Amino acid sequence: ILNVEQSPQSLHVQEGDSTNFTCSFPSSNFYALHWYRWETAKSPEALFVMTLNGDEKKKGRISATLNTKEGYSYLYIKGSQPEDSATYLCASPSNSGYALNFGKGTSLLVTP
Amino acid sequence: DAGVIQSPRHEVTEMGQEVTLRCKPISGHDYLFWYRQTMMRGLELLIYFNNNVPIDDSGMPEDRFSAKMPNASFSTLKIQPSEPRDSAVYFCASGLTYNEQFFGPGTRLTVL
């Protein structure tokens, strides 16, 4: 994998459903994996930064796991709420270690 | 702290005109990044600075684009002459390290 890829592109769930989506990234020369939450008309907001294989991070109902050997991360949302509706971006630094290469995001819509 | 400040928030201009986007990073942050977001390409890095010095401008699309950071509290992204395909949302982000970037609200540029 040369670029950061995310799937699915969009997701529509009902309030209360749990959901998850995937980020795939180049596993060679891994530095870190970032998750951002991006609400419409706002700026991306950092959720997690993950650096170690097997890392699992949690913030409220949202959690993320990391597998650096196979190059993927999962983001989980337990009991989705309408306010979780947003685009979730993942990003991995380029070889420079500084600039972030972003995936195109997963657009999540949670309806009541 | 007010966060990353960008101006203007919206810009509508005609093809051929010069456009200047402005960014004030969070005080104390050594890194400043300019991103462009389009439907086709997602969020892509244009250029980033470390301690006011441009480090990687490989993402700048062509010579019509230029960026400067004359001091630690101000950066500009200039497009001259502007073209309709430059229409996008331009984000500025700053950070102490690459591990966490704080995004500004973005400038929505429309070139007619």
Side-chain angles (χ1 to χ4, degrees), chain A residues 4-51:
Chain A
V4 177
E5 297 172 358
Q6 292 186 248
S7 63
Q9 185 176 359
S10 63
L11 201 50
H12 181 190
V13 301
Q14 296 294 312
E15 181 176 358
D17 289 349
S18 293
T19 187
N20 66 85
F21 23 94
T22 306
C23 173
S24 302
F25 53 88
S27 55
S28 60
N29 297 319
F30 175 80
Y31 288 90
L33 192 284
H34 299 238
W35 280 102
Y36 283 82
R37 181 171 179 273
W38 191 2
E39 287 184 72
T40 302
K42 295 185 178 180
S43 49
E45 178 185 348
L47 279 175
F48 305 115
V49 179
M50 309 176 78
T51 55

Side-chain angles (χ1 to χ4, degrees), chain B residues 15-70:
Chain B
M15 183 174 66
Q17 296 297 307
E18 178 180 296
V19 175
T20 299
L21 311 181
R22 296 173 177 80
C23 174
K24 181 180 188 310
I26 293 172
S27 177
H29 283 187
D30 295 331
Y31 293 91
L32 184 140
F33 305 81
W34 281 102
Y35 291 91
R36 178 172 68 175
Q37 193 261 339
T38 61
M39 289 293 290
M40 290 295 294
R41 300 173 69 90
L43 197 61
E44 53 181 344
L45 178 74
L46 299 177
I47 185 172
Y48 79 91
F49 296 82
N50 180 21
N51 292 322
N52 313 338
V53 177
I55 302 300
D56 183 355
D57 65 354
S58 58
M60 296 286 261
E62 48 198 273
D63 291 345
R64 298 183 296 107
F65 285 68
S66 62
K68 293 182 180 179
M69 192 166 185

Side-chain angles (χ1 to χ4, degrees), chain A residues 14 31 33 36 45-47 56 69 78 82 84 98 101-102 106 108 111:
Chain A
Q14 296 294 312
Y31 288 90
L33 192 284
Y36 283 82
E45 178 185 348
L47 279 175
E56 182 169 344
K69 293 182 179 179
K78 184 178 178 181
D84 296 329
Y98 301 122
N101 292 320
F102 281 86
T106 292
L108 174 67
T111 51

